[in-house]
Amino acid sequence: DIQMTQSPSSLSASVGDRVTITCRASQGITNSLAWYQQKPGKAPKLLLYAASRLESGVPSRFSGSASGTDYTLTISSLQPEDFATYYCQQYYSTPLYTFGQGTKLEIK
Amino acid sequence: QLQLQESGPGLVKPSETLSLTCTVSGDSLSSSTYYWGWIRQPPGKGLEWIGSISYSGNTYYDPSLKSRVTISVDTSKNQFSLKLTSVTAADTAVYYCARRGDRGFGEFPLDYWGQGTLVTVSS
């Protein structure tokens, strides 16, 4: 089974800050990775797939990158609506999936 | 616009079977090559993938739940369903249905989600 280790589990930041969230896969997943944003009481929303491809309608301040088995989500300039929980997910083993543990992004 | 909607009992007794249905509108399951899945989220915790099914009925389950889970599809009703047997309090969660999208070149993120439904296991 492929494990996804996401860090940090929580993060405090201010509007305008640049933040990064990291996910490490237990084996190579050839960039078959998605990032989701979840707000309280809502379903997750797809932000990026293929590690770095922005889903249609997602603001360009969101970006993703990959280095080996490490994947990073970057928000270049935090906006008030970005405070949420973020999850990574591998779909290399599709239709079997694994999610990271989540990162709660809070206002400092 | 594709929409998914979960339905089913919000309260299930311990040791009984949890049954949920996801109704899909805006796309036909029988003509689709997509996979359709179930994900759950215990209160205050992260997302847990449960399993997926293809339009033709091929199923894939998380190994930790495989002995208790059945996912089925009813193309005549444009629905797919989840059954989880022998439930305990640990199965209390918001249950989501979702579509495995196809962005080409082997890219299959979950692109459409239902709003989720809370199922509580309690006597």
Side-chain angles (χ1 to χ4, degrees):
Chain A
D1 296 0
I2 300 174
Q3 307 301 318
M4 304 301 296
T5 303
Q6 188 173 340
S7 61
S9 58
S10 64
L11 178 59
S12 294
S14 302
V15 172
D17 284 355
R18 177 185 179 91
V19 299
T20 60
I21 298 168
T22 298
C23 228
R24 173 168 290 174
S26 61
Q27 65 181 71
I29 57 171
T30 62
N31 293 358
S32 296
L33 183 109
W35 288 97
Y36 301 86
Q37 176 193 66
Q38 186 180 35
K39 295 184 178 180
K42 300 293 187 182
K45 172 189 172 184
L46 177 64
L47 296 177
L48 297 102
Y49 63 96
S52 61
R53 296 185 189 171
L54 212 59
E55 176 72 347
S56 176
V58 175
S60 59
R61 61 181 180 273
F62 291 92
S63 64
S65 64
S67 177
T69 58
D70 290 342
Y71 296 85
T72 299
L73 170 69
T74 299
I75 310 173
S76 59
S77 178
L78 274 173
Q79 298 302 301
E81 62 267 29
D82 299 337
F83 292 94
T85 301
Y86 294 84
Y87 293 92
C88 64
Q89 177 221 21
Q90 67 81 18
Y91 50 86
Y92 176 79
S93 56
T94 186
L96 305 177
Y97 295 97
T98 317
F99 291 95
Q101 298 88 339
T103 297
K104 186 173 184 179
L105 178 54
E106 299 175 303
I107 300 174
K108 184 182 290 183
Chain B
Q1 175 75 354
L2 182 71
Q3 292 186 321
L4 293 82
Q5 178 68 57
E6 305 90 349
S7 60
L11 181 64
V12 180
K13 290 182 169 57
S15 79
E16 295 190 345
T17 297
L18 179 159
S19 297
L20 295 174
T21 296
C22 183
T23 300
V24 178
S25 57
D27 189 13
S28 172
L29 290 181
S30 61
S31 63
S32 171
T33 59
Y34 296 107
Y35 276 74
W36 306 86
W38 288 96
I39 300 98
R40 70 180 182 179
Q41 185 170 36
K45 296 188 178 181
L47 300 167
E48 302 176 356
W49 180 77
I50 299 171
S52 302
I53 189 166
S54 70
Y55 76 102
S56 60
N58 295 321
T59 53
Y60 301 85
Y61 302 131
D62 182 87
S64 68
L65 295 171
K66 188 173 183 178
S67 63
R68 299 195 292 132
V69 173
T70 302
I71 297 176
S72 59
V73 63
D74 186 340
T75 55
S76 68
K77 295 181 179 178
N78 227 38
Q79 297 174 335
F80 61 103
S81 299
L82 169 71
K83 290 190 187 300
L84 181 65
T85 62
S86 304
V87 296
T88 69
D91 296 310
T92 294
V94 174
Y95 286 76
Y96 295 99
C97 57
R99 185 185 81 167
R100 185 193 81 165
D102 185 351
R103 294 292 187 271
F105 305 102
E107 306 302 336
F108 301 111
L110 299 174
D111 59 356
Y112 285 90
W113 295 65
Q115 64 185 27
T117 186
L118 174 63
V119 179
T120 301
V121 178
S122 175
S123 56

